[in-house]
Amino acid sequence: MAPAPYITIDHLSVNYRDVQALRNINLTLRPGKLVGVFGPNGAGKSTLIKAMLGLMPLVTGRVTYGEDTLAHQLDRVAYVPQRSQIDWTFPATVWDVVMMGRVQKTGWFNRFSTASRQIAQDALNRVGMADFRDRPIGALSGGQQQRVFLARALAQEADIFCFDEPFVGVDQKTEDVIYKIFRELAAAGKIVLVVNHDLGEAIMNFDQLILLNKELIATGPRDWVLTRDNMTRAYGGHVGFFSHVA
Amino acid sequence: MSPELALLNGLIEPLQYAFMQRSLAVAIMVGIICSVVGSYLMVQRLALLGDAISHSVLPGLAIAFLLGVNIFIGAFIAGVLSTVIIGWIHTRSPIKEDAAMGIVFSAFFALGITLITTIQKDNKIDLNHFLFGNILGVTAGEVRDTAIIAALVLLIVVLLYKELLFYSFDPLGAKASGLPTGLLQAGLMVLIALTVVASMKVVGVILVLSLLIAPGATAYLLAPRLHQVMLLGAGVGVFSSVSGMYLSYYLNLPSGPAIVMVVSTLFGLAFLFSPRHGVLMGPKRWPFGTSR
């Protein structure tokens, strides 16, 4: 079997409403690693994911997965947006949402197969939400909603997983479930990219960090990235103390 | 005669007239497709877009009439054209989408009224029938056209149901999974335009928004899943348009307003008495409990 392909981000620049949001980003994302994106508010963390997946136009640059542009291979991608982007009053049950993860694989005009239903059910079991299958999504807690979206991502059977702030407003149990599954995905040779809303304990869970503030400040293992110099460049001079800074 | 029998007789007796049969057929079909397609508008918060498209069909209708083409086709083209122009203004200028809608639909509407007012001096065409509906005046040809449109709309909704559900709930997630969301959005615009065109003769372009939104909104207060909202909404829509038709027949009321008053009343009842969300039913809760 050929080795799993990398994602290569090459000279990526993105504008958001005529303002430069990301400038000349060069990165490689390898399978099997849990990659965390960090940086201050407005650093372009969410924009990085959206630009990679072709959800917003690039000014310059290219994002490839293997030989081809990543945006042409979205059937291999599972993306979980920020919880605030979702209308939680939408008339759908937990099951409806998880089955959305099977839409692309099922194809136009086809009905969901028994195999697809089984995959969705397994995904719900994995995140511990099987008992909530028939609940309206609006009746769940924030952590439960996030686990349902994680189940949807799992049901997509993707090779690349992108999560935008999955830990915002979730309970401890959900956080544990999410990290456990992130680890399992990495161990299974998937590319797992996670945007985080703040620094803190979270940073200890990632194999590779990407420190971002409109441009790439540093990337690599924790000790390599978390220098006082890098933190000052990312967060400015206001940040006095980080317990995790080497 | 017992009261029940009298009521039954009152419902059946008008149906001996061919024009009432045609009206009933159109009322049922339009009640169904308005509710189904309108459910998408409601969950995507695009109610204003429904209003914009419905006002925009008038000039197309007038031009088609002048050219001797089927007015449904002209109206459909104008409706779709308005969404294209709205999108164009919105993406190519700092003007926000709601402002673009306001500008485009009032311009189209004004042009339509001007054209029809000019035409109706020499032709048998009545502006009021398009503005406010005239369900008792539908022709056999209009019944046929409505049936074709209704079949097409329902077929598209059934075939694209899972994709449209994903797209309406999480457009970014749908796009990131590789679905052609631009095409789905365009398909939805086509569905709305087709539905508005089919509904012109029933409620008129000004009030069609009510038949698009109110049945789905009523069902939304009662059912937790989108396909249930659509099915229950279709029931509400059919009941409203059929009862409005009878009110129009017996009380000589304008049909469009009669239908809208019925559907608005049904929404009011659901708003007050829905078991889960009714304001008079238990503690105050927002749809499906709190969303934390």
Side-chain angles (χ1 to χ4, degrees):
Chain A
M1 203 175 86
Y6 300 169
I7 291 177
T8 310
I9 300 173
D10 186 25
H11 293 95
L12 177 82
S13 294
V14 181
N15 286 0
Y16 185 69
R17 291 191 183 137
D18 297 333
V19 179
Q20 195 160 50
L22 288 173
R23 182 165 59 240
N24 197 27
I25 308 283
N26 294 286
L27 270 173
T28 303
L29 303 174
R30 292 185 169 77
K33 284 192 173 165
L34 191 47
V35 183
V37 183
F38 293 86
N41 282 334
K45 304 183 297 272
S46 303
T47 305
L48 177 66
I49 291 188
K50 288 179 189 164
M52 276 171 56
L53 302 182
L55 304 181
M56 56 194 299
L58 313 185
V59 176
T60 62
R62 186 156 185 237
V63 182
T64 52
Y65 177 59
E67 300 295 310
D68 194 11
T69 304
L70 175 58
H72 297 162
Q73 306 172 69
L74 292 178
D75 54 327
R76 305 180 70 172
V77 174
Y79 165 70
V80 173
Q82 288 182 23
R83 246 166 40 76
S84 59
Q85 294 209 1
I86 300 297
D87 170 16
W88 295 102
T89 65
F90 192 97
T93 60
V94 166
W95 182 248
D96 291 333
V97 173
V98 179
M99 286 310 287
M100 289 173 193
R102 300 303 304 164
V103 168
Q104 169 69 20
K105 293 263 190 310
T106 299
W108 298 99
F109 313 136
N110 294 325
R111 298 174 68 97
F112 293 121
S113 66
T114 313
S116 271
R117 288 167 197 282
Q118 190 56 53
I119 289 163
Q121 185 63 50
D122 292 346
L124 267 184
N125 293 341
R126 248 176 111 180
V127 301
M129 288 296 291
D131 292 343
F132 294 82
R133 228 183 101 116
D134 299 321
R135 292 276 185 94
I137 46 156
L140 307 177
S141 73
Q144 291 168 335
Q145 289 171 343
Q146 195 65 56
R147 276 189 273 159
V148 171
F149 266 60
L150 179 58
R152 186 182 83 181
L154 292 174
Q156 286 182 251
E157 298 189 307
D159 297 309
I160 300 157
F161 290 80
C162 300
F163 297 88
D164 200 347
E165 305 198 346
F167 298 108
V168 170
V170 307
D171 50 289
Q172 188 59 48
K173 184 187 174 197
T174 298
E175 196 175 310
D176 295 344
V177 169
I178 295 178
Y179 274 124
K180 177 168 171 284
I181 288 172
F182 283 179
R183 282 270 148 237
E184 290 168 2
L185 290 172
K190 311 291 188 186
I191 292 176
V192 187
L193 185 65
V194 183
V195 165
N196 294 275
H197 63 295
D198 56 15
L199 285 161
E201 294 299 324
I203 225 159
M204 305 310 288
N205 290 295
F206 292 93
D207 305 318
Q208 181 190 346
L209 304 187
I210 293 172
L211 192 57
L212 207 64
N213 190 1
K214 302 232 164 51
E215 54 188 8
L216 181 65
I217 307 289
T219 185
R222 270 193 300 279
D223 297 346
W224 180 256
V225 171
L226 295 180
T227 65
R228 200 162 287 281
D229 184 42
N230 284 340
M231 298 313 273
T232 308
R233 282 175 62 207
Y235 288 87
H238 320 292
V239 183
F241 176 71
F242 286 102
S243 58
H244 307 293
V245 171
Chain B
M1 196 162 29
S2 74
E4 291 84 4
L5 209 61
L7 178 66
L8 190 66
N9 197 45
L11 291 176
I12 291 172
E13 186 256 353
L15 294 179
Q16 62 185 296
Y17 303 110
F19 80 90
M20 279 303 277
Q21 294 165 7
R22 294 196 296 269
S23 307
L24 182 71
V26 168
I28 290 171
M29 293 187 288
V30 165
I32 292 171
I33 59 171
C34 274
S35 314
V36 169
V37 172
S39 296
Y40 286 118
L41 284 180
M42 183 190 60
V43 297
Q44 290 203 43
R45 302 172 183 183
L46 287 175
L48 186 61
L49 185 65
D51 206 24
I53 295 180
S54 58
H55 282 74
S56 300
V57 301
L58 275 189
L61 181 158
I63 291 168
F65 183 85
L66 274 178
L67 298 175
V69 182
N70 187 326
I71 56 168
F72 280 22
I73 293 171
F76 171 74
I77 292 172
V80 170
L81 185 64
S82 73
T83 67
V84 172
I85 296 177
I86 289 167
W88 190 46
I89 292 175
H90 168 56
T91 51
R92 294 300 174 87
S93 77
I95 303 290
K96 301 277 185 298
E97 194 166 20
D98 57 338
M101 283 183 202
I103 293 163
V104 172
F105 93 64
S106 45
F108 271 61
F109 191 53
L111 176 64
I113 291 184
T114 309
L115 286 173
I116 295 177
T117 310
T118 314
I119 298 168
Q120 71 181 2
K121 287 179 189 137
D122 329 295
N123 290 284
K124 235 179 125 243
I125 180 170
D126 187 342
L127 177 62
N128 281 321
H129 290 169
F130 296 112
L131 294 184
F132 304 112
N134 178 27
I135 195 172
L136 301 184
V138 293
T139 65
E142 284 164 344
V143 175
R144 182 203 60 212
D145 293 348
T146 307
I148 293 170
I149 292 174
L152 189 63
V153 165
L154 292 178
L155 185 71
I156 295 173
V157 170
V158 169
L159 287 178
L160 300 184
Y161 182 80
K162 65 182 188 305
E163 285 83 4
L164 284 174
L165 177 68
F166 194 176
Y167 171 66
S168 344
F169 174 61
D170 178 8
L172 222 47
K175 192 173 179 190
S177 83
L179 288 180
T181 48
L183 267 179
L184 289 172
Q185 176 69 17
L188 211 48
M189 296 302 116
V190 167
L191 284 178
I192 297 163
L194 283 172
T195 304
V196 165
V197 167
S199 314
M200 279 185 315
K201 268 314 230 347
V202 177
V203 276
V205 298
I206 294 181
L207 292 174
V208 67
L209 186 67
S210 171
L211 210 46
L212 282 170
I213 303 298
T218 306
Y220 173 65
L221 294 175
L222 300 167
R225 301 176 76 183
L226 184 63
H227 67 269
Q228 295 167 343
V229 169
M230 288 176 166
L231 290 171
L232 186 59
V236 170
V238 169
F239 176 83
S240 305
S241 54
V242 171
S243 47
M245 178 194 84
Y246 278 104
L247 287 173
S248 176
Y249 174 80
Y250 277 113
L251 305 177
N252 197 24
L253 300 174
S255 56
I259 290 168
V260 171
M261 286 190 289
V262 173
V263 73
S264 305
T265 305
L266 291 178
F267 173 77
L269 289 174
F271 177 68
L272 294 176
F273 301 113
S274 155
R276 282 181 309 153
H277 311 302
V279 292
L280 300 182
M281 307 296 285
K284 187 176 189 297
R285 286 189 308 166
W286 196 236
F288 314 136
T290 52
S291 62
R292 268 154 286 183

